[in-house]
Amino acid sequence: MTTIEATRTGDAGKQTGTPPPRLTRRQRLSRWDFHFSPYLYVVPFFLVFLLIGVYPMVYSGYLSFFSWPRFGPTHGEGVGWANYVHVLQDPVFHKAFWNTIGIFVLSSGPQVVIATVIAAMLDTHLRGRTWWRMSVLLPFVVAPAATALIFGSLFADKTGLVNEIIQGLGLPKVGWHTDRFASWTAIASMVNYRWTGYNTLIILAALQAVPRQLYEAASIDGASRVRQFFHVTLPSISPTMVFVIITSTIGGLQIFTEPRLFDTNLQFQGGADYQYQTLTMYVFNTANSATDPYPRAAAATWIIVLIIVVIALLNFGVTRLVQRRSER
Amino acid sequence: MRQPTIRRGVALAGAAVLVAGLTAACGGDSDASQSKLGKDDVLTITTFSDFGYDKLIEEWNADPERPFTVKATKIADWDPWKKTLTQDLQAGHGLTDVIAVEGDSMPQFLADGASDQFADLSDSSIEDRWVEYAYQAGQTADGKQIGYPTDAGPEAFCYRADLFAEAGLPTDREEVKAIFESWDSYFAAGEDFVKKMPKTKWYDSSGSIAQAMLNQAEFPFQTEDNEVNLENDEVKLVWDTVTRYTPTLSPRVVQWGEDWTAGFTNNGFATMPCPGWMFSNIKSSAPDVKGWDIVDAFPGGGGNWGGSYLAVPMQSEHQEEAKQLAAWLTDKDQELAAFEAAGNYPANVEAQEELAAQKVTDPYFNDAPTAEILATRAAAVTPGRPYKGDKYSDILGLFQTAIQRVDEGGSPDDSWQTFVQAVESLS
């Protein structure tokens, strides 16, 4: 902020130094208004962000190098990297990592594909278009807690509707809370239920911005609808796709509400055998544990931040690569 | 030999922190911050779930004679409140003048360091007011009283008389007593039962049976000087028994879960340990099921499951008045009113006697004399059992999870190993 102001006033000084058409007070005020007010308008956000975004992050980074006596009001002595070592060596953390990746792959993948397909279908001349478009967003309006409760009863191991149907088809019951992969699927279905419609609308907005002439040209060239979709639609909306993929990656790696409310374990450790404990649940549980709760949770948080950054970068790289290849 | 030095270090750090905290909070003089409350000043109290205090506090505030007014906050569940409570204790401010604490977690607040954050409520004029075991469980090793007991959870057994009849077992409240005489007779009857009723299990969950057996152990998880000791016969007995009967007698569901609740209505199980507060759970889970009854017996004697306390944190500026309110709320008439409002069985001796004398019967449970049964059950509880060390509620949670793993098909040996590891990483 200060540097920007300094250079700006410097410029203003230079201009007023040469030919002297003296500005009136009003004119000067309006110039300042023009130059500085935008910064003033955005300042509140940055102040709030500093206070509730940056400060906790920096402080948790600092905290992760200390111990914390159980009922102590402040942190204890420094312990170096011990908290990081503890978290990285914790078998529960390893399980939580793979659970998160598993749930993420099972949710984000199908979600983006299905959302794109639904968006493409909604982009046609349907009757009652607005109604259809509104209704895909409906699940998103349902509170995540409500979603989790409903799905929890659908996926109940012994008396749930899903298992009743599976049994009705003559197949054996699935242990939705006991089998690791089954629990990931159940949780991913909750996430997909909630977020597919949201992503659909974003992609739909992008689709509508694609120039219609491109499609006309393509049809004149004899391209089928499917071919048009892959060679006209997808390349045109690729920036939006990158956005959707990155946000759903971050969201997917931070997943908490769904597995937490799906949990039948009374300790909320994500299944009795940690089948579906996610990384954020790990942080939450660590922060409530007996020994060094906050520093270890802080260390885990920073490890998760790094994981998310790495995966988001990978993601970005892959999408860019695919995008470039499809443009060729 | 590393242990003692670490301990000493932690203790020293704790003490230093505490001294610093106290001097900061009170400016060096703890009496100066205490102030008297006038008639219109407000004293605050926080409880969790339903303590049945709404009407009592309304009455208190409407009474022109009251020395101050009361403002109550209710938190839905214990767990989030425990978290806030712990954090505010650490922060040294933010808590109300009176706070409610759940019984199984009490030991960790009684531990050194934590107990210094609470006011001493001992008062020889009222210490005989509550049943002994409940009162003592709110006391530190050196006799500082941290909480006044609000309710207790003496356990009876609830059973489905209709299912018993189908299986050819006796159904009468007096006749079934023999089944609930000892754990051996209980499990034997169970094996008999499931042979005749293959679709119904004997008890509601492995977890609740484990809880019932643990509540009779003397030193389940920690020795008297708070050393963690899992290799003792008492815990091994509970573990071996419960996991042995998992395949035959247990519905293998988690308590409070969807499948557990469904078991009430679809004849999922025939018996369950029944502390007083469980009655309302049964009624709300199975409003239309006829046949629930309560027997005045418990395998191997008695047991107490649950019960809460009212405590006054040091950070309260009105500890005298807070103590006064806590004493009033846990007095006979108030605990009776709370029982009526929320079904919490009083820990107050006179209130228990009064309830028993009223010959309260419950039509839902085939007109069982509920209050009388609970009074006998309360008398059967061995004071101080189980010994709950500072890590009791943490280890208990992990133990229940270990049982859940076996319920879900895991091998008991593997699950025990995981349990031992998880307990090790607690320290």
Side-chain angles (χ1 to χ4, degrees):
Chain A
M1 272 302 301
T2 44
T3 51
I4 293 166
E5 273 178 41
T7 51
R8 291 283 169 172
T9 39
D11 285 350
K14 242 182 251 164
Q15 276 171 8
T16 44
T18 42
R22 267 186 77 89
L23 296 171
T24 63
R25 209 178 105 84
R26 234 189 128 89
Q27 277 173 319
R28 244 180 300 147
L29 272 179
S30 110
R31 265 178 81 127
W32 288 344
D33 183 31
F34 181 76
H35 282 296
F36 303 131
S37 334
Y39 295 100
L40 274 179
Y41 295 144
V42 294
V43 155
F45 166 77
F46 283 97
L47 285 182
V48 172
F49 177 67
L50 267 177
L51 201 71
I52 64 172
V54 176
Y55 171 71
M57 267 181 81
V58 172
Y59 182 68
S60 67
Y62 163 81
L63 200 59
S64 62
F65 295 100
F66 291 88
S67 64
W68 193 302
R70 184 157 196 182
F71 280 94
T74 50
H75 64 74
E77 36 196 272
V79 292
W81 292 90
N83 289 318
Y84 287 89
V85 173
H86 174 89
V87 171
L88 287 173
Q89 284 178 346
D90 189 351
V92 177
F93 183 80
H94 299 166
K95 268 200 151 170
F97 175 78
W98 290 113
N99 292 342
T100 311
I101 299 284
I103 295 171
F104 158 64
V105 170
L106 286 175
S107 57
S108 292
Q111 201 183 104
V112 173
V113 174
I114 296 170
T116 317
V117 173
I118 298 178
M121 295 195 314
L122 287 179
D123 194 31
T124 54
H125 296 282
L126 283 172
R127 204 178 283 182
R129 240 178 309 172
T130 320
W131 186 83
W132 288 107
R133 286 174 188 175
M134 292 298 288
S135 47
V136 293
L137 197 64
L138 205 61
F140 188 68
V141 185
V142 181
T147 314
L149 286 178
I150 294 165
F151 276 70
S153 102
L154 288 180
F155 285 110
D157 285 349
K158 297 214 159 69
T159 48
L161 182 67
V162 179
N163 266 346
E164 298 276 328
I165 293 173
I166 290 177
Q167 266 196 319
L169 296 173
L171 298 167
K173 280 184 183 179
V174 177
W176 294 111
H177 289 86
T178 55
D179 182 70
R180 209 169 169 201
F181 185 76
S183 68
W184 295 354
T185 319
I187 292 166
S189 72
M190 261 182 257
V191 181
N192 288 341
Y193 168 78
R194 212 171 113 71
W195 288 92
T196 306
Y198 173 84
N199 286 326
T200 304
L201 282 203
I202 292 180
I203 296 171
L204 178 62
L207 285 180
Q208 297 192 320
V210 178
R212 300 287 134 168
Q213 298 95 307
L214 288 179
Y215 291 108
E216 279 169 32
S219 353
I220 291 168
D221 286 345
S224 68
R225 307 263 334 178
V226 177
R227 226 186 134 91
Q228 282 179 27
F229 178 75
F230 281 104
H231 288 91
V232 179
T233 311
L234 279 188
S236 319
I237 61 165
S238 59
T240 308
M241 291 300 282
V242 172
F243 171 78
V244 167
I245 290 170
I246 301 258
T247 48
S248 78
T249 305
I250 295 171
L253 294 175
Q254 290 178 335
I255 181 169
F256 178 79
T257 316
E258 285 88 353
R260 161 94 187 191
L261 291 172
F262 182 70
D263 208 342
T264 52
N265 178 259
L266 296 175
Q267 304 305 303
F268 293 105
Q269 55 180 42
D273 208 12
Y274 314 99
Q275 293 97 324
Y276 44 91
Q277 181 177 92
T278 60
L279 289 171
T280 37
M281 284 169 87
Y282 179 88
V283 172
F284 189 82
N285 290 351
T286 310
N288 279 322
S289 67
T291 322
D292 294 337
Y294 306 124
R296 280 182 189 171
T301 317
W302 269 99
I303 295 172
I304 295 173
V305 168
L306 290 183
I307 292 172
I308 292 183
V309 167
V310 168
I311 294 182
L313 281 177
L314 267 176
N315 221 319
F316 185 67
V318 171
T319 0
R320 282 292 288 271
L321 206 76
V322 172
Q323 186 185 331
R324 227 173 277 151
R325 282 188 59 186
S326 68
E327 268 167 11
R328 217 177 280 156
Chain B
M1 279 292 100
R2 256 180 38 189
Q3 212 62 12
T5 38
I6 291 178
R7 271 236 198 122
R8 239 184 101 215
V10 171
L12 276 177
V17 151
L18 210 91
V19 169
L22 280 179
T23 32
C26 311
D29 183 0
S30 59
D31 284 339
S33 66
Q34 294 293 313
S35 57
K36 270 265 167 223
L37 281 176
K39 242 171 140 44
D40 292 318
D41 291 326
V42 177
L43 190 86
T44 51
I45 175 172
T46 308
T47 57
F48 57 93
S49 69
D50 194 1
F51 273 58
Y53 288 167
D54 292 358
K55 251 181 129 179
L56 287 171
I57 289 171
E58 232 171 76
E59 275 168 28
W60 173 285
N61 286 341
D63 183 0
E65 296 296 310
R66 43 137 176 98
F68 47 84
T69 51
V70 175
K71 186 173 168 286
T73 311
K74 278 209 293 191
I75 313 275
D77 291 313
W78 163 243
D79 288 304
W81 169 230
K82 179 186 180 184
K83 201 162 177 281
T84 319
L85 173 58
T86 314
Q87 282 167 357
D88 287 350
L89 275 182
Q90 286 173 340
H93 57 82
L95 288 174
T96 51
D97 297 306
V98 180
I99 52 176
V101 179
E102 196 265 334
D104 276 352
S105 299
M106 202 62 192
Q108 72 189 53
F109 295 113
L110 298 178
D112 289 346
S115 65
D116 299 334
Q117 322 250 11
F118 291 92
D120 188 358
L121 302 179
S122 359
D123 183 342
S124 54
S125 66
I126 56 171
E127 65 186 12
D128 297 331
R129 196 194 261 183
W130 302 276
V131 284
E132 198 189 348
Y133 65 86
Y135 186 69
Q136 277 177 2
Q139 206 171 64
T140 63
D142 48 4
K144 178 177 174 184
Q145 192 67 29
I146 283 181
Y148 285 156
T150 57
D151 62 324
E155 292 179 277
F157 245 91
C158 291
Y159 66 100
R160 286 280 299 273
D162 52 337
L163 297 178
F164 271 39
E166 268 185 69
L169 293 173
T171 58
D172 184 78
R173 214 172 289 139
E174 287 301 314
E175 286 173 41
V176 295
K177 269 189 179 175
I179 293 175
F180 300 96
E181 187 78 5
S182 69
W183 287 111
D184 289 337
S185 65
Y186 174 69
F187 290 120
E191 290 191 305
D192 195 27
F193 176 88
V194 293
K195 261 178 220 142
K196 289 178 186 133
M197 306 276 286
K199 285 205 170 145
T200 303
K201 295 296 183 183
W202 183 233
Y203 43 77
D204 67 309
S205 69
S206 308
S208 70
I209 294 299
Q211 183 96 28
M213 295 184 82
L214 277 176
N215 280 337
Q216 295 175 331
E218 205 172 349
F219 294 102
F221 302 132
Q222 281 172 294
T223 61
E224 219 160 349
D225 43 3
N226 280 348
E227 290 291 328
V228 174
N229 174 26
L230 302 175
E231 294 297 327
N232 67 75
D233 295 341
E234 292 181 307
V235 173
K236 276 292 189 187
L237 177 72
V238 177
W239 176 259
D240 291 341
T241 315
V242 171
T243 53
R244 169 154 35 106
Y245 290 116
T246 293
T248 45
L249 303 185
S250 166
R252 305 162 82 156
V253 297
V254 188
Q255 214 173 16
W256 315 115
E258 300 278 345
D259 290 330
W260 180 75
T261 313
F264 281 93
T265 41
N266 61 15
N267 297 351
F269 58 89
T271 66
M272 74 188 297
C274 253
W277 48 263
M278 189 61 91
F279 298 171
S280 60
N281 280 299
I282 298 178
K283 287 178 199 167
S284 64
S285 300
D288 301 323
V289 174
K290 304 266 181 288
W292 276 107
D293 208 329
I294 306 172
V295 58
D296 186 0
F298 199 78
N304 184 70
W305 184 3
S308 299
Y309 293 85
L310 293 182
V312 177
M314 282 305 258
Q315 50 184 270
S316 161
E317 285 173 13
H318 315 288
Q319 289 169 18
E320 264 318 302
E321 287 91 344
K323 191 175 157 186
Q324 194 185 337
L325 179 70
W328 182 75
L329 281 171
T330 51
D331 204 353
K332 178 187 147 200
D333 289 341
Q334 284 63 250
E335 291 212 349
L336 277 173
F339 174 72
E340 207 164 297
N344 297 339
Y345 187 71
N348 186 300
V349 181
E350 281 179 39
Q352 289 185 357
E353 283 164 1
E354 169 96 25
L355 277 180
Q358 282 175 3
K359 302 253 179 251
V360 183
T361 56
D362 194 326
Y364 181 88
F365 291 103
N366 189 23
D367 292 321
T370 43
E372 202 184 325
I373 292 177
L374 289 178
T376 349
R377 293 294 91 220
V381 175
T382 316
R385 242 184 227 206
Y387 171 74
K388 295 176 182 170
D390 56 340
K391 294 193 176 111
Y392 182 77
S393 70
D394 291 336
I395 302 180
L396 177 65
L398 294 171
F399 188 76
Q400 293 282 18
T401 300
I403 287 173
Q404 189 188 344
R405 279 193 294 269
V406 179
D407 271 348
E408 290 176 356
S411 103
D413 287 344
D414 289 350
S415 183
W416 179 263
Q417 286 311 316
T418 314
F419 166 63
V420 171
Q421 272 167 20
V423 172
E424 270 167 14
S425 73
L426 274 181
S427 51

